[in-house]
Each structure stands twice: as structure tokens, then as C-alpha cells.
Amino acid sequence: MNGNRLIANTLSNNNRGGDPDAGVSRTADVLIFSAVVPITGTVISGNWLSDAHFGIWTQNAHASLSGNHFDDVVVHVHQG
């Protein structure tokens, strides 16, 4: 799972049911989660995210975030 790249995508109202394993019950356009082993080397850049509660939600994942655009997103980035 290390070294993934999510670049120049358009995402809207994604993951409508959340992710019960991650403890997320709201919409999240991008959700990256590991329960135990940290995820490293993730790049999330230049994406258009819209119509979600969370634009980018991560837990136990160290991600490089730059140049993302948010439209009608309540929480742009949550990193835990």
C-alpha cells in the first residue's frame, strides 16, 4: 500500500456510506486508512474534490498533499 499516487482526478460525493472499519460514517472523496501498519509515500495532488463531508481523510497514513481544490466540502483534510 505504500507509494500510491492520486493525481489530477475529479471526485464528487464519493464513499457515500463511509467506512465502518475506519470509523467514518460520512462521505469522503478520498479515504486512506490502515489499522496497524503506517502507510507511507502517498501523494494526493491536483485533484478536484466536491460535494462530500470529508475531501481527504487519512488515518495512520502519511500523505503529501498539494494543489487539491475543494468545492462544497465541509472538512477539506482530516489526518489522524
Side-chain angles (χ1 to χ4, degrees):
M1 292 300 299
N2 295 325
N4 287 293
R5 300 166 52 95
L6 184 65
I7 299 173
N9 294 282
T10 300
L11 302 168
S12 182
N13 201 23
N14 242 4
N15 195 18
R16 297 180 77 189
D19 186 325
D21 291 335
V24 177
S25 60
R26 308 292 298 266
T27 56
D29 282 338
V30 176
L31 189 148
I32 301 172
F33 165 72
S34 173
V36 179
V37 178
I39 298 170
T40 62
T42 302
V43 175
I44 303 170
S45 179
N47 298 289
W48 290 88
L49 310 169
S50 65
D51 301 315
H53 184 80
F54 297 104
I56 300 169
W57 189 98
T58 68
Q59 174 115 12
N60 208 16
H62 307 285
S64 171
L65 309 173
S66 66
N68 295 294
H69 305 276
F70 303 90
D71 183 32
D72 197 26
V73 174
V74 177
V75 178
H76 291 186
V77 176
H78 170 276
Q79 290 186 295

